[in-house]
């Protein structure tokens, strides 16, 4: 919409005719579009002079001066944005982003400070691309300074992105309103007109007008606060470093804070609502420690004078890395020493670590475009484990890393997966990049590269990468070229000669290291390899192929990877290495072996099949002396076995036989991986109403783990891993109605209820206790009454899960309605509650129905393409295993057309259901027979 809300000087009226000439006679410059392109129409019907989703590169922003005045009572804001720009070629059209902003005035200032002049610009809007065009009377001169001044008004968003409203209630029940920002990836344009692409880095000077009862924080420290009218204060913040628009942040609230200084003099503060500020200490200490670690590890000082961490009551994702002002969901930052779980402590530490890693990977060095989002997110996910392993060794984060790789492989094994680096253009496509491939797979291939290059070489490479590209933008190949450039002397770009890698070459016994060629196979191809091992005497034959689930007629992709294989044998636990670059190869062992185990420690992003008697040998090893290999190796064997069942390489009986050793297992990751493989089997049976076999399978699971379950104490004692294992095992036992567990939980719940919530059960067993208590209507109602007044994120989360496990259909429907409405249960919790109910054997039809009936509202609230939407789609359908449900799912999403049918998450859902049907048709009867086998009598 074009707004002409100005009274022009008389002499400018004479120039109106110039606008007509510009619009009618505007040529199509080479940087704009092809002759054949159809010119889009602006909102007023005029031709819009740009037809691409990406902005042209002929105008560059240098500095933004933002003034934002928010009224929390009316939930509106108005602002003035001044952008210093330069043109690198003459143009009469300035294209930038604006979305849902009512622009009232746009002026072009030009000339030196001594002789400035102003020119009113016409504004054309093109909402389909969230763009505006500012039309100048005369072409901009190359490299001359200009300033755009744009005035506008807008409403605070009622979603979780842009400049949005958040609320909380005090202990006394008073509702308070705050305003916060979340701009990544494409929402800065909803708060101020801007060049909203990561490569358009600039500096920002920010001023916030507010009422005196609130205070504002932003990326940089406060310089001064100026009273400008009665009841109005303007806060001036220091100018930022050069950064992308999605990293801009500001919050207007009545939050309180606690602060500490790092050794290098950076002020670290945690902000939260006043009633929860006493839960900020753990995150504050962690942030100080982690920031100091990163400064030392990267050998690059943190460039800002402060780092704030703010807990936002309404927050869609887990956290956001805004430079100098990271924002978090409350449960990802606040730790209640009395009620928060061991898993919560681990999660908070990892989340803070992730966002602080972004201050270097993502903020200091930023991907050029969202196709390489993994350069931000994969690195930050990887650095979580590098940092926390050093700063918080008691958390033993190394035990959990490879679980992230298994999660990524679940998605990456589907035909609908995508390469780590993949083309994207629209906001929905960009949103879809925030997935397990960018995060988990990105981190896993970096870990594989670290193992391949050695720790020191890898570290030197990323330090050089950060130094070289500080305050700049990068592409995929920039990282690989920098990694390769750590050779003593450069040879061909992206590779090192063997003489330059004398110690490294002996590490790999290879004739040349081509980092770029190797890593391109992992970032430019989707999926991952299956390596088949055939041992014939001392000869080990290796074959690689693309692992992909699907029907037997799925076409071969022909992909090949450069795979850094590692292995140990029955004769040697010293890790041996071999780089497999061809489809097949052979390595020769010094002597014959009883067994061989590849992918040591799960450091590689591939799975392994052992032909002939290879699996029998490894199953025998686990049954006899399972501690002969590491817990990570044991867990990876469990995972790989069931992955092979899915593609017909291994029988379900052999995979199930391998799990029988879990009767003797005590380590968290093999047990968790066993549960991750076995629980979905009975969940699939639930969706087919196979009650008898389902009951037998659940009984088998309890018998398999009964010894370990019975050993669990109902306390909060032990390491983080031991406590997390206790929580999950006791919850499983109670859900499967193992009576010793149920009776103990009932006793704790009765005690908690009779004390009116003052005598709490041990934190580690609380979820099991609540889950049992929620099975009665009286218990469910009591849990909900306690939920409304709890200040503990962990406790509230536990109650949400427990309420979702009820078998009462009316309660579940009410819970769906309430959590979506957002009055008592925050709407941010809805995606999780929907998926909890979606996994409930009596609740999943309600969840699926709710998703369909409220699809348009969900997309409006959570954004098309977002991880939340994908989570809800998968969470309500991923255990469907009948053709009737498949057709139902297909029909619904096809009916959505451009409002959802094209989403990758929908394609993944359809593939997953098709795979479930194939899997059950092939394996169900065999499982039923296996459950009757004599070997189970020994459990």
């Amino acid at each position: 919409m074009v707004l002409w809300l100005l009274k022009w000087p008389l002499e400018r009226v004479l120039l109106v005719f110039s606008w007509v000439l510009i619009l009618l006679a505007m040529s199509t410059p080479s940087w704009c579009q092809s002759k054949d392109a159809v010119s889009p129409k602006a909102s007023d019907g005029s031709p819009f002079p740009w037809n691409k989703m990406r902005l042209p590169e002929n105008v560059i922003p240098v500095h933004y001066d933002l003034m934002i005045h928010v009224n929390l009572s009316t939930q509106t804001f108005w602002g003035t944005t001044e952008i210093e720009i330069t043109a690198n070629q003459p143009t009469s059209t300035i294209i930038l982003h604006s979305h849902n902003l009512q622009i009232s005035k746009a002026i072009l200032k030009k000339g030196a400070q001594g002789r400035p002049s102003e020119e009113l610009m016409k504004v054309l809007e093109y909402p389909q691309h969230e763009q505006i065009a500012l039309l100048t009377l005369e072409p901009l001169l190359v490299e001359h300074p200009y300033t755009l001044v744009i005035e506008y008004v807008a409403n605070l968003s009622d979603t979780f992105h842009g400049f949005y409203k958040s609320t909380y209630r005090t202990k006394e029940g008073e509702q308070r309103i705050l305003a916060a920002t979340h701009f990544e990836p494409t929402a800065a344009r909803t708060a101020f007109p801007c060049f909203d692409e990561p490569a358009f880095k600039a500096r920002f000077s920010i001023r916030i007008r507010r009422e005196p009862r609130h205070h504002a924080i932003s990326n940089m420290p406060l310089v001064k606060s100026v009273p400008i009218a009665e009841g109005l204060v303007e806060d001036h913040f220091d100018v930022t470093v050069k950064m992308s628009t999605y990293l801009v942040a500001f919050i207007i609230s009545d939050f309180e804070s606690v602060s500490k200084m790092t050794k290098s003099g950076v002020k670290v503060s945690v902000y939260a609502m006043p009633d929860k500020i006493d839960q900020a200490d753990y995150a504050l200490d962690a942030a100080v420690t982690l920031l100091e670690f990163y400064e030392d590890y990267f050998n690059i000082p943190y460039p800002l004078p402060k780092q704030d961490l703010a807990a936002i009551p309404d927050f869609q994702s887990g956290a956001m890395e805004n430079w100098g002002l990271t924002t978090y969901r409350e449960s990802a930052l606040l730790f209640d020493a009395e009620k928060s779980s061991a898993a919560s402590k681990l999660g908070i530490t990892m989340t803070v670590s992730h966002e602080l890693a972004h201050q270097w990977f993502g903020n200091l060095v930023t991907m050029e475009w969202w196709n390489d989002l993994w350069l931000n997110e994969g690195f930050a996910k990887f650095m979580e484990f590098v940092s926390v392993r050093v700063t918080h060794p008691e958390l033993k984060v190394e035990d959990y890393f490879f679980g992230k790789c298994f999660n990524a492989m679940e998605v990456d094994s589907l035909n609908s997966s995508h390469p780590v680096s993949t083309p994207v253009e629209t906001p929905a496509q960009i949103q879809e990049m925030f997935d397990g491939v960018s995060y988990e797979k990105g981190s896993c291939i970096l870990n594989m590269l670290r193992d391949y290059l050695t720790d020191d070489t890898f570290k030197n490479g990323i330090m050089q990468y950060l130094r070289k590209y500080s305050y700049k933008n990068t592409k995929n190949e920039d990282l690989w070229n920098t990694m390769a450039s750590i050779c003593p002397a450069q040879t061909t770009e992206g590779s090192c000669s063997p003489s330059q890698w004398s110690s490294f070459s002996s590490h790999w016994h290879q004739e040349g290291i081509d980092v770029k060629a190797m890593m391109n196979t992992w970032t430019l191809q989707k999926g991952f390899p299956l390596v088949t091992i055939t041992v014939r005497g001392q000869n080990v034959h290796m074959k690689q192929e693309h692992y992909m689930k699907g029907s037997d007629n799925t076409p071969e992709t022909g992909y090949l990877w450069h795979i850094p294989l590692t292995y140990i044998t029955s004769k040697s636990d010293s890790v041996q290495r071999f780089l497999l670059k061809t489809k097949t190869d052979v390595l020769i062992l010094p002597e014959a072996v009883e067994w061989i185990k590849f992918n040591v420690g799960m450091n590689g992003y591939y799975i392994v099949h052992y032909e002939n008697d290879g699996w029998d040998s490894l199953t025998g090893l686990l049954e006899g002396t399972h501690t002969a290999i590491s817990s990570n190796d044991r867990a990876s064997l469990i995972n790989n076995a069931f992955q092979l069942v899915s593609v017909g390489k291994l029988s379900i009986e052999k995979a199930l036989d391998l799990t029988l050793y879990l009767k003797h297992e005590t380590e968290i990751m093999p047990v968790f991986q066993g549960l991750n493989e076995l629980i979905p089997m009975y969940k699939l049976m639930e969706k087919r109403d196979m009650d008898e076999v389902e009951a037998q399978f659940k009984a088998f699971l309890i018998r398999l783990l009964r010894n370990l379950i019975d050993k669990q104490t109902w306390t909060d004692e032990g390491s983080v891993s031991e406590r997390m294992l206790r929580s999950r095992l006791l919850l499983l036992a109670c859900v499967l109605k193992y009576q010793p567990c149920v009776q103990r939980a009932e006793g704790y719940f009765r005690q908690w209820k009779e004390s009116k919530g003052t005598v709490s059960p041990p934190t580690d067993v609380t979820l099991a206790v609540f889950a049992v208590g929620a099975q009665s209507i009286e218990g469910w109602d009591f849990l909900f009454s306690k939920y409304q007044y709890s200040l503990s994120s962990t406790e509230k989360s536990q109650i949400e899960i427990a309420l979702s496990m009820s078998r009462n259909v009316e309660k579940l429907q009410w819970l769906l309605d309430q959590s979506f409405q957002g009055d008592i249960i925050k709407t941010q919790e809805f995606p999780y509650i929907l998926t909890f109910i979606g996994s409930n054997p009596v609740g999943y039809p309600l969840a699926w129905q709710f998703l369909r009936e409220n699809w348009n509202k969900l997309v409006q609230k959570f954004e098309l393409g977002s991880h939340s939407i994908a989570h809800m789609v998968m969470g309500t359908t991923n255990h469907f295993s009948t053709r009737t449900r498949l057709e139902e799912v297909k029909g619904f999403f096809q009916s959505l057309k451009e409002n959802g049918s094209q989403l990758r998450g929908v394609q993944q859902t359809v593939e997953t259901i098709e795979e479930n049907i194939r899997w059950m048709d092939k394996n169900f009867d065999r499982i039923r027979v296996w459950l009757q086998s004599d070997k189970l009598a020994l459990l």
Side-chain angles (χ1 to χ4, degrees):
M1 181 175 184
V2 179
L3 302 174
W4 296 83
L5 303 180
L6 294 174
K7 295 182 179 178
W8 283 4
L10 178 61
E11 65 271 22
R12 291 196 176 174
V13 176
L14 300 176
L15 297 174
V16 169
F17 188 64
S18 300
W19 295 119
V20 179
L21 293 179
I22 290 171
L23 291 173
L24 293 180
M26 185 177 294
S27 62
T28 305
S30 59
W31 51 262
C32 184
Q33 54 201 25
S34 67
K35 294 179 183 177
D36 301 327
V38 177
S39 179
K41 298 292 185 183
S43 54
D44 69 344
S46 305
F48 191 80
W50 185 249
N51 70 349
K52 293 181 174 63
M53 189 70 70
R54 298 282 300 275
L55 296 180
E57 299 177 2
N58 60 329
V59 176
I60 306 298
V62 177
H63 180 271
Y64 290 78
D65 194 322
L66 306 180
M67 192 288 293
I68 304 288
H69 180 178
V70 62
N71 187 322
L72 294 181
S73 299
T74 61
Q75 296 171 34
T76 57
F77 68 96
W78 51 98
T80 302
T81 297
E82 298 190 18
I83 314 174
E84 296 176 20
I85 59 170
T86 59
N88 52 36
Q89 62 186 91
T91 179
S92 300
T93 308
I94 303 167
I95 309 294
L96 64 160
H97 289 108
S98 173
H99 186 48
N100 293 333
L101 302 177
Q102 298 178 38
I103 296 174
S104 58
K105 183 190 294 185
I107 292 174
L108 179 68
K109 292 183 177 180
K110 49 188 175 179
Q113 288 192 349
R115 300 172 57 193
S117 65
E118 293 186 1
E119 171 192 316
L120 182 76
M121 293 182 289
K122 180 169 183 175
V123 182
L124 297 179
E125 297 184 339
Y126 188 46
Q128 292 93 321
H129 287 178
E130 302 176 358
Q131 294 172 352
I132 57 173
L134 305 181
L135 308 182
T136 65
L137 295 175
E138 298 176 354
L140 302 184
L141 300 177
V142 174
E143 296 184 358
H144 278 233
Y146 295 92
T147 300
L148 308 177
V149 183
I150 306 171
E151 297 179 5
Y152 59 96
V153 296
N155 295 318
L156 286 176
S157 172
D158 59 1
T159 67
F160 299 102
H161 45 272
F163 190 25
Y164 70 95
K165 177 192 77 169
S166 178
T167 63
Y168 71 89
R169 290 192 181 275
T170 65
K171 288 178 180 177
E172 294 73 33
E174 176 193 355
Q175 186 184 70
R176 295 187 180 174
I177 299 175
L178 61 132
T181 59
H182 187 109
F183 292 156
E184 189 180 34
T186 60
R189 64 194 68 173
T190 67
F192 57 96
C194 57
F195 298 80
D196 201 11
E197 294 181 5
F200 288 109
K201 289 190 171 185
R203 295 175 180 270
F204 295 81
S205 298
I206 297 173
R207 292 173 290 142
I208 302 291
R209 290 182 181 175
R210 57 170 175 84
E211 296 179 51
R213 62 195 176 102
H214 297 123
H215 60 79
I217 52 176
S218 187
N219 303 85
M220 297 297 288
L222 180 68
V223 174
K224 62 180 177 179
S225 295
V226 181
I228 59 172
E230 186 175 351
L232 198 61
V233 176
E234 184 174 275
D235 292 328
H236 294 233
F237 296 93
D238 208 348
V239 62
T240 72
V241 293
K242 191 176 179 183
M243 67 184 194
S244 303
T245 49
Y246 76 87
L247 295 171
V248 173
F250 35 86
I251 300 170
I252 298 92
S253 71
D254 65 347
F255 283 175
E256 294 181 1
S257 65
V258 291
S259 303
K260 284 188 175 180
M261 301 291 285
T262 67
K263 288 184 291 190
S264 60
V266 177
K267 183 180 180 181
V268 179
S269 304
V270 177
Y271 287 81
M273 56 181 277
D275 289 342
K276 294 184 179 181
I277 195 63
D278 61 341
Q279 300 178 35
D281 291 338
Y282 178 78
L284 178 61
D285 289 340
V288 169
T289 302
L290 286 160
L291 201 62
E292 290 174 345
F293 170 84
Y294 284 132
E295 285 195 310
D296 179 64
Y297 184 88
F298 297 133
N299 197 24
I300 298 174
Y302 175 73
L304 308 186
K306 62 97 174 177
Q307 171 61 235
D308 296 337
L309 302 85
I312 311 299
D314 299 275
F315 203 84
Q316 181 172 335
S317 58
M320 176 60 207
E321 67 266 23
N322 317 299
W323 214 344
L325 174 51
T326 52
T327 49
Y328 301 76
R329 177 180 282 248
E330 287 185 330
S331 60
L333 189 66
L334 303 181
F335 184 81
D336 184 332
E338 293 184 2
K339 294 185 177 180
S340 291
S341 63
S344 176
K345 176 177 281 190
L346 176 65
I348 289 169
T349 312
M350 300 295 271
T351 304
V352 171
S353 168
H354 183 102
E355 302 313 321
L356 295 184
H358 269 311
Q359 308 302 298
W360 285 265
F361 282 104
N363 299 7
L364 184 65
V365 179
T366 313
M367 79 268 137
E368 188 171 290
W369 181 242
W370 300 105
N371 61 306
D372 282 328
L373 174 67
W374 85 276
L375 290 174
N376 285 18
E377 299 299 348
F379 257 112
K381 178 63 66 176
F382 170 73
M383 288 306 300
E384 291 178 26
F385 293 87
V386 173
S387 61
V388 176
R389 186 174 185 173
V390 174
T391 62
H392 297 76
E394 72 282 2
L395 297 180
K396 295 186 177 178
V397 292
E398 59 273 14
D399 289 348
Y400 311 106
F401 182 81
F402 73 93
K404 303 292 183 184
C405 305
F406 293 152
N407 294 340
M409 285 174 163
E410 278 298 309
V411 173
D412 209 20
S413 63
L414 301 175
N415 192 37
S416 54
S417 185
H418 64 91
V420 169
S421 180
T422 199
V424 290
E425 189 171 72
T426 68
Q429 290 170 345
I430 293 168
Q431 284 280 1
E432 286 195 293
M433 288 298 288
F434 291 79
D435 67 357
V437 173
S438 294
Y439 284 70
E440 274 82 16
K441 181 178 180 178
S443 66
C444 293
I445 63 175
L446 286 171
N447 182 60
M448 180 172 64
L449 180 62
R450 175 204 58 78
D451 186 61
Y452 172 70
L453 295 177
T454 70
D455 286 343
D456 289 343
T457 303
F458 180 85
K459 179 180 176 180
N460 289 336
I462 61 175
M463 286 168 55
Q464 185 165 320
Y465 170 77
L466 289 171
R467 287 197 195 98
K468 183 175 181 179
Y469 294 104
S470 290
Y471 305 104
K472 298 176 184 176
N473 297 82
T474 59
K475 300 184 290 293
N476 208 32
E477 58 263 30
D478 294 325
L479 175 62
W480 310 139
N481 291 335
T482 305
M483 284 291 181
S485 71
I486 53 178
C487 305
Q490 187 72 17
T491 55
T492 58
E493 185 177 46
S495 64
C496 299
S497 70
S499 62
Q500 295 167 322
W501 288 84
S502 55
S503 61
F504 182 75
S505 293
S506 64
H507 182 62
W508 277 98
H509 307 291
Q510 295 297 124
E511 291 188 354
I513 308 303
D514 191 338
V515 175
K516 184 176 179 180
M518 171 186 167
M519 295 310 294
N520 279 345
T521 70
W522 295 98
T523 59
L524 303 183
Q525 299 177 151
K526 69 180 179 182
F528 56 91
L530 161 63
V531 178
T532 298
I533 301 299
T534 308
V535 180
R536 299 188 181 113
Q538 292 175 234
N539 290 353
V540 179
H541 297 259
M542 302 163 290
K543 180 182 76 172
Q544 66 160 298
E545 59 191 294
H546 185 179
Y547 176 90
M548 186 159 57
K549 294 176 181 176
S551 60
D552 295 333
N553 57 10
T554 301
E556 273 281 333
T557 60
Y559 292 167
L560 287 177
W561 287 264
H562 292 191
I563 312 172
L565 299 174
T566 56
Y567 63 93
I568 54 175
T569 71
S570 58
K571 299 292 187 180
S572 173
D573 59 4
S574 176
V575 178
Q576 304 299 312
R577 303 173 185 272
F578 188 94
L579 186 62
L580 179 63
K581 297 194 285 188
T582 54
K583 187 169 182 63
T584 61
D585 210 331
V586 181
L587 67 83
I588 301 174
L589 300 174
E591 56 186 321
V593 297
E594 296 173 16
W595 54 263
I596 188 168
K597 166 68 174 69
F598 275 79
N599 202 359
V600 181
M602 188 59 199
N603 279 321
Y605 189 73
Y606 59 93
I607 63 173
V608 186
H609 174 42
Y610 304 90
E611 282 200 323
N612 300 333
D613 62 352
W615 278 106
D616 292 337
S617 299
L618 290 166
T619 299
L621 172 69
L622 293 178
E623 289 173 348
T625 316
H626 66 273
T627 54
I629 57 176
S630 70
S631 62
N632 281 9
D633 283 319
R634 302 195 297 270
S636 70
L637 285 176
I638 295 170
N639 170 270
N640 286 192
F642 284 94
Q643 295 299 313
L644 294 168
V645 171
S646 293
V647 293
K649 298 280 188 181
L650 193 68
S651 70
I652 186 63
E653 293 90 345
K654 284 199 173 186
L656 289 169
D657 285 348
L658 183 143
T659 67
L660 294 178
Y661 102 91
L662 287 171
K663 180 179 181 181
H664 306 292
E665 184 61 81
T666 59
E667 296 290 329
I668 185 171
M669 291 318 295
V671 174
F672 274 21
Q673 195 56 44
L675 295 177
N676 290 345
E677 304 296 347
L678 297 172
I679 289 175
M681 294 188 197
Y682 75 69
K683 301 303 290 185
L684 291 176
M685 296 175 195
E686 286 177 349
K687 305 303 185 292
R688 286 195 176 192
D689 299 322
M690 297 168 165
D691 297 344
E692 183 180 354
V693 180
E694 177 195 330
Q696 292 173 2
F697 196 88
K698 290 177 178 178
F700 150 68
L701 201 49
I702 287 294
R703 293 206 311 276
L704 179 66
L705 298 172
R706 181 171 53 202
N707 289 343
L708 192 56
I709 292 169
D710 289 344
K711 287 178 182 175
Q712 301 305 309
T713 59
W714 290 61
T715 66
D716 291 335
E717 297 172 353
S719 66
V720 169
S721 293
E722 289 167 341
R723 296 181 62 187
M724 290 172 63
L725 180 63
R726 174 187 301 132
S727 295
R728 187 165 182 187
L729 281 176
L730 293 180
L731 176 63
L732 175 72
C734 284
V735 168
L736 296 186
K737 296 182 171 58
Y738 180 51
Q739 283 308 299
C741 181
V742 172
Q743 291 166 8
R744 191 85 178 262
E746 286 175 339
Y748 272 112
F749 189 80
R750 193 181 312 113
Q751 184 183 32
W752 181 64
K753 186 168 173 288
E754 289 172 353
S755 73
K756 304 219 179 327
T758 59
V759 181
S760 298
T763 302
D764 294 348
V765 304
T766 297
L767 185 52
V769 170
F770 287 177
V772 170
Q775 297 311 304
S776 71
I777 291 179
E778 184 183 6
W780 197 98
D781 289 341
F782 182 75
L783 279 164
F784 186 72
S785 70
K786 300 307 292 182
Y787 178 91
Q788 297 178 62
Y789 301 103
S790 175
L791 292 175
S792 165
S793 297
T794 293
E795 184 176 62
K796 296 190 86 151
S797 176
Q798 291 168 332
I799 293 176
E800 288 168 5
I801 296 171
L803 296 178
S804 302
M805 299 174 81
S806 169
R807 297 298 191 264
N808 185 302
V809 173
E810 289 75 22
K811 292 290 189 186
L812 295 176
Q813 184 63 54
W814 186 88
L815 188 60
L816 285 170
D817 294 335
Q818 282 295 315
S819 57
F820 189 56
Q821 185 177 327
D823 290 339
I824 301 173
I825 302 172
K826 290 280 189 182
T827 306
Q828 67 176 13
E829 305 301 326
F830 175 79
Y832 305 98
I833 289 174
L834 182 75
T835 56
F836 294 149
I837 295 177
S839 65
N840 183 323
V842 302
Y844 74 88
L846 301 177
W848 171 229
Q849 183 69 17
F850 196 98
L851 181 83
R852 287 177 290 172
E853 291 179 351
N854 295 278
W855 178 260
N856 289 336
K857 294 178 182 177
L858 289 169
V859 167
Q860 184 178 3
K861 185 73 175 178
F862 294 100
E863 283 197 294
L864 192 67
S866 70
H867 183 67
S868 295
I869 292 292
H871 181 74
M872 288 186 278
V873 171
M874 286 293 288
T876 52
T877 63
N878 67 344
H879 288 130
F880 287 176
S881 61
T882 65
R883 286 169 178 80
T884 300
R885 287 292 189 191
L886 174 63
E887 293 308 313
E888 197 172 272
V889 170
K890 281 183 173 179
F892 171 69
F893 286 111
Q894 285 170 358
S895 72
L896 298 176
K897 298 182 180 176
E898 69 279 357
N899 200 33
S901 62
Q902 80 286 6
L903 294 177
R904 187 184 296 122
V906 170
Q907 299 165 27
Q908 291 169 349
T909 292
V910 170
E911 276 194 76
T912 299
I913 299 172
E914 290 173 342
E915 173 64 19
N916 290 345
I917 293 169
R918 278 192 297 272
W919 199 96
M920 287 293 284
D921 288 349
K922 181 177 181 180
N923 295 307
F924 174 72
D925 286 335
R926 301 174 75 166
I927 294 172
R928 179 174 51 78
V929 172
W930 184 85
L931 288 169
Q932 308 302 320
S933 62
D934 293 340
K935 64 186 75 176
L936 268 65
L938 301 175
L939 288 177

